[in-house]
Amino acid sequence: LVIALLTITSLNAQQAKNVILLIGDGTGLTQLYSAYEANGRNLNIYSMPHTALSITNCSDKRVTDSGAGGTAIACGQKTYYSAIGVDKDSMPIPSMLEIFKDMGKKTGIIVSCNLNHATPASFVAHVKNRDLYEDIATFYLNGKCDIFLGGGKDNFDNRKDKRNLIKELQNKGYEIVYNE
């Protein structure tokens, strides 16, 4: 399960104070209904006051992948198979996380996978291919994400280019915590 956390400060009582976007990577209506049935026809997601569905197919294929699907959710625009945060012409497009951060909001990403996997990467990176893990990791240096928790340490400090992004993040004021 990928959890993207975006905190928004309220301007008035009618607006949301916080937005938490939960993404069950690969989850669709079939999986939700199966969980509902398996749990005695009870699933908390069915009692939430607001839910939404999105169609996240690629711009070039009918069956999507997490890169193009994540980009459709994060950036509101369809892209080609395996792309991360770029449009169908490989031009960077801003994600909601980046837009919220530019508005002065607090942002974060919390995942149970590597931080540079396709879905979370779609909120922070802009690369032509989801397999560019080391390139994706560098986007966490841009300060758009206040907190990020997840795996993928080797792409931050055991890199082919010998950069140590862990030290670079610490130099930018990030506190690094390990739980192995």
Side-chain angles (χ1 to χ4, degrees):
L1 179 68
V2 174
I3 302 175
L5 169 65
L6 304 168
T7 305
I8 302 174
T9 305
S10 176
L11 297 177
N12 66 48
Q14 299 300 318
Q15 291 183 323
K17 180 178 178 188
N18 300 302
V19 174
I20 299 173
L21 174 62
L22 304 171
I23 302 174
D25 202 354
T27 300
L29 295 175
T30 302
Q31 291 79 13
L32 290 173
Y33 191 75
S34 295
Y36 170 78
E37 286 292 333
N39 198 41
R41 294 192 169 191
N42 183 22
L43 198 60
N44 287 338
I45 195 168
Y46 287 120
S47 64
M48 292 182 176
H50 304 286
T51 58
L53 297 174
S54 62
I55 299 172
T56 59
N57 61 294
C58 305
S59 61
D60 62 339
K61 296 184 180 188
R62 290 184 63 149
V63 177
T64 196
D65 76 313
S66 295
T71 297
I73 294 168
C75 303
Q77 190 170 334
K78 293 181 190 280
T79 191
Y80 59 90
Y81 193 90
S82 80
I84 300 286
V86 296
D87 66 16
K88 63 184 180 178
D89 298 318
S90 299
M91 298 301 295
I93 45 179
S95 72
M96 66 173 79
L97 182 139
E98 293 169 318
I99 292 167
F100 291 146
K101 185 63 182 177
D102 289 345
M103 293 170 59
K105 311 304 180 193
K106 298 290 184 187
T107 62
I109 292 179
I110 302 170
V111 297
S112 61
C113 61
N114 288 348
L115 287 161
N116 51 4
H117 274 196
T119 302
S122 298
F123 289 84
V124 298
H126 307 280
V127 295
K128 294 179 181 182
N129 188 292
R130 64 180 282 172
D131 295 331
L132 298 171
Y133 297 123
E134 289 189 357
D135 292 344
I136 291 167
T138 64
F139 282 89
Y140 284 94
L141 293 167
N142 71 11
K144 296 290 184 176
C145 200
D146 295 301
I147 184 171
F148 42 96
L149 304 170
K153 179 179 175 284
D154 283 350
N155 292 294
F156 287 84
D157 70 350
N158 187 21
R159 299 167 51 89
K160 292 176 188 164
D161 64 6
K162 305 297 184 206
R163 281 179 75 182
N164 187 327
L165 301 187
I166 300 291
K167 288 186 180 182
E168 291 183 44
L169 286 164
Q170 287 173 320
N171 291 339
K172 290 181 170 276
Y174 285 94
E175 180 179 346
I176 309 299
V177 178
Y178 297 102
N179 181 4
E180 297 181 14

